[in-house]
Amino acid sequence: MSGPQCCSNPPTLNPTAGAGHVEKLAGLDSYITGSPHSNIAILLISDIFGFEAPNLRKLADKVAAAGYYVVVPDFLYGDPYNPQNADRPLPVWVKDHGADKGFEDAKPIIEALKSKGVHAIGAAGFCWGAKVAVQLSKSTLIQAAVLLHPSFVSLDDIKGVDIPIAILGAEFDKLSPPELLKEFEQVLTAKPGVDSFVKIFPKVSHGWSLRYKNEDAEAVKAAEEAHQDMLDWFAKYVK
């Protein structure tokens, strides 16, 4: 994950982006959007640029409009990756932000949602967040998962998955190349009782579902297709 692809097209972070609001959930700052009366929830787990990325919050609002209570936790504790900081290159930053910690932090958030009356939860992870989402997929904590242009996810991770999972990847992705995703698909197809969906998007690169420019119509179209696939997956399994 130390390659340039992971850091390309960094977003301009905006703490006030989105139609929702930030509140503490299980002690962690979280962007919350959607009806608090909904008993189905979606956890969106950010990439290395964190929960203030405007396109991520825009997507959270879109998911909320489909009837979900949506939570985007700040698993990076106010310390998103900053490509301008030459003293802290990505391999150094990553050491301070392991996905294992994100997984542990997700557990009390899921418990807090359940205590509010939520009975079904889906999780979508982007790049760094996909590793957290795949770890959640090995437990009974959530009902379904979607991984979008995953980073760090291994074949062993996929072997441990025991809930419905969709994996959306890019044609041009050094972190999760199509060949690796095809191996993931073979493992998942061979698992009885675990529904899965693997799709490789042509002509796009790692990060395309979030790090698109609004003025690039083709990029927006590819991102929106991925968003719709994610929503379709949750509609099927989180209800």
Side-chain angles (χ1 to χ4, degrees), residues 117-229:
V118 169
H119 72 252
I121 299 170
F126 305 82
C127 311
W128 177 92
K131 179 72 170 184
V132 179
V134 82
Q135 288 178 301
L136 289 169
S137 306
K138 304 174 198 175
S139 68
T140 53
L141 293 169
I142 61 173
Q143 277 61 55
V146 180
L147 314 184
L148 299 98
H149 33 87
S151 300
F152 297 135
V153 175
S154 69
L155 214 46
D156 280 344
D157 284 324
I158 299 299
K159 286 174 182 171
V161 168
D162 62 2
I163 60 166
I165 188 167
I167 303 174
L168 308 179
E171 179 181 357
F172 306 111
D173 193 336
K174 291 180 180 143
L175 304 161
S176 288
E179 304 78 52
L180 179 61
L181 297 190
K182 282 173 181 154
E183 288 182 46
F184 289 175
E185 185 174 33
Q186 287 170 351
V187 167
L188 289 166
T189 304
K191 286 175 83 75
V194 175
D195 282 355
S196 61
F197 173 67
V198 177
K199 179 173 172 180
I200 295 161
F201 284 67
K203 302 179 187 171
V204 298
S205 300
H206 181 85
W208 92 94
S209 78
L210 289 183
R211 284 183 247 147
Y212 56 88
K213 300 280 188 251
N214 286 311
E215 58 274 17
D216 184 339
E218 283 300 307
V220 170
K221 184 179 172 189
E224 288 179 344
E225 185 181 336
H227 302 162
Q228 192 57 52
D229 286 342

